[in-house]
Amino acid sequence: MPRVLRLAAAQLGAIHSTDSRTHVVGRMITLLESAAAEEVQVVLFPELAFTTFFPRFLINDEQELESWFEHGDVTTNTETRPLFDKAKELQIDICVGYAEATDEGKHFNTCVYFSGREGRVLSKYRKVHLPGTFEPSDDPNAVHHLEKRYFEPGDLGFQAFRVPGLEEGGSLVERGDPIFGMMICNDRRWAESWRVLGLQGVEIVLVGFNTPAFGHHTPKSLDPEESERMALFHHKLVMQAHSYTNATYSLAAARSGYDDGKHKLIAGSCIVDPEGQLLAEAKTLGDELVIAECDLELCRQGKEKIFAFEKHRRTEHYGRITEQTGVVEPPKLVMAADLESSQGGAQVHRMLVDRDNYDLDKTILKGLWPSVSPFDVPWSVNGSDGSSEEQQFEFATAKHPQA
């Protein structure tokens, strides 16, 4: 039986540093009214939707910095309340991103899922993967990306949640209400974000984002046009690939266009199906609704077959993902040239004595002793020529006494 929802990504064009929240909220309400006219049930707005993307600026004045954040309840604050009131009036659910200042003085890049039918927040998410730097660039002409300076990493994790009242005639008993998940911008680039939601049976992932067309992350070899093309490619790549590998729909809503007439953000608002196919995408850099009908039953194909996690995952081999943060490379292979020095000989000694660290049982040392009879093939500690480890070590020390 189909479980069809009508969903929309609400792209917002340029927002200048001088634009008021009242002005921006007015634009958002216009999009919401258009969505209601199209019988949309859920509307996704971008990351940091109420203001320009202020982390591009170095702001040293504390009072000025605080002015970019929403304090207290975002659904009832004077300037932002009209959006949530309109959602209640239209009986449409919305997901919206904003800069959150907590009562404890903490600051997060946040989004909430607000039910227009129930008139309350059903779930909140705080961005986990903060890009950019803490310290500003030394270049006086640089466009900064200071999310690490202004926000703390999110502390709520990736929690999926059910949304009641969306399906006509009620939800299927065996399925329950639709399962949603949220992430923000850079989170979409990390497979871990998606898999944690996928392991909770997520059916719709909502992603608001602000992505520079040309920024600190851009290879210097790329010109602005090629940089924008590459940014769009990477954006769609991760949305489509991870939707497929977790058998879920996904929506992405962009803040796009030329902020302050010069800071360009890519568009790319889109809706992707569980097979990784683009169902709809933005055609402009301005305010735009991207709409698609999504049958959640189509998630079952992936969830019950190729990505039936309970049948195919092998968690005993995934420990490194949670035990390790940065890259730890395997030991370098010892080459013949290295063994012609006392340092190389000493390396052989260390590798033979400390087998646990070097894991030589599984490592072929390519090109070792190629000119020395009888070793004219790559050598491993297990003795590819039939010799024992001790015999090989004796040979090594005879050739290289310093070992």
Side-chain angles (χ1 to χ4, degrees), residues 90-323:
L90 298 173
Q91 296 283 281
I92 294 181
D93 290 9
I94 60 173
C95 178
V96 59
Y98 62 98
E100 177 193 14
T102 71
D103 294 339
E104 297 75 31
K106 294 185 176 183
H107 299 82
F108 298 102
N109 189 337
T110 299
C111 65
V112 292
Y113 185 101
F114 180 85
S115 169
R117 294 163 181 77
E118 299 196 5
R120 65 185 180 93
V121 170
L122 297 187
S123 187
K124 175 186 282 190
Y125 170 72
R126 291 166 172 160
K127 187 174 182 177
V128 168
H129 299 104
L130 298 175
T133 62
F134 183 90
E135 295 297 336
S137 170
D138 293 332
D139 182 353
N141 298 314
V143 177
H144 305 292
H145 197 130
L146 300 175
E147 287 193 57
K148 291 183 185 296
R149 188 181 190 89
Y150 300 142
F151 302 118
E152 296 181 42
D155 58 359
L156 300 177
F158 296 96
Q159 299 297 326
F161 57 97
R162 291 191 184 270
V163 177
L166 292 177
E167 296 181 78
E168 270 189 46
S171 301
L172 293 176
V173 174
E174 64 269 29
R175 296 281 184 258
D177 294 310
I179 303 173
F180 283 73
M182 298 183 288
M183 57 182 78
I184 298 174
C185 198
N186 192 44
D187 291 319
R188 74 194 190 281
R189 305 184 191 278
W190 298 86
E192 295 89 339
S193 311
W194 296 83
R195 186 46 46 92
V196 172
L197 291 174
L199 287 168
Q200 299 170 75
V202 72
E203 297 172 306
I204 302 169
V205 175
L206 305 174
V207 185
F209 68 98
N210 287 243
T211 297
F214 191 87
H216 74 285
H217 60 284
T218 305
K220 293 182 179 179
S221 60
L222 298 183
D223 61 30
E225 185 176 328
E226 179 65 12
S227 171
E228 181 177 5
R229 189 198 67 78
M230 189 64 73
L232 275 167
F233 166 73
H234 287 151
H235 158 64
K236 292 179 183 179
L237 174 69
V238 294
M239 294 300 298
Q240 294 179 251
H242 294 307
S243 293
Y244 168 64
T245 58
N246 292 279
T248 181
Y249 284 93
S250 66
L251 281 71
R255 267 270 295 103
S256 54
Y258 290 87
D259 286 7
D260 295 329
K262 58 182 178 180
H263 303 299
K264 190 175 185 181
L265 300 170
I266 66 169
S269 298
C270 61
I271 300 176
V272 181
D273 76 6
E275 295 295 329
Q277 300 178 102
L278 281 170
L279 296 181
E281 61 181 310
K283 297 177 174 60
T284 73
L285 285 173
D287 293 4
E288 182 180 350
L289 279 179
V290 178
I291 302 172
E293 289 192 347
C294 303
D295 181 0
L296 304 189
E297 275 303 289
L298 297 182
C299 296
R300 308 322 306 171
Q301 169 73 17
K303 292 184 185 298
E304 294 174 1
K305 293 184 178 179
I306 191 168
F307 296 113
F309 296 151
E310 71 282 0
K311 297 177 182 177
H312 307 308
R313 295 185 77 241
R314 294 291 176 260
T315 56
E316 67 270 24
H317 300 298
Y318 305 157
R320 191 182 293 272
I321 291 176
T322 56
E323 295 167 2

Side-chain angles (χ1 to χ4, degrees), residues 74-93:
V74 70
T75 69
T76 59
N77 285 348
T78 302
E79 292 180 297
T80 54
R81 178 173 181 167
L83 176 68
F84 298 94
D85 285 348
K86 180 59 69 172
K88 286 190 288 184
E89 177 190 326
L90 298 173
Q91 296 283 281
I92 294 181
D93 290 9

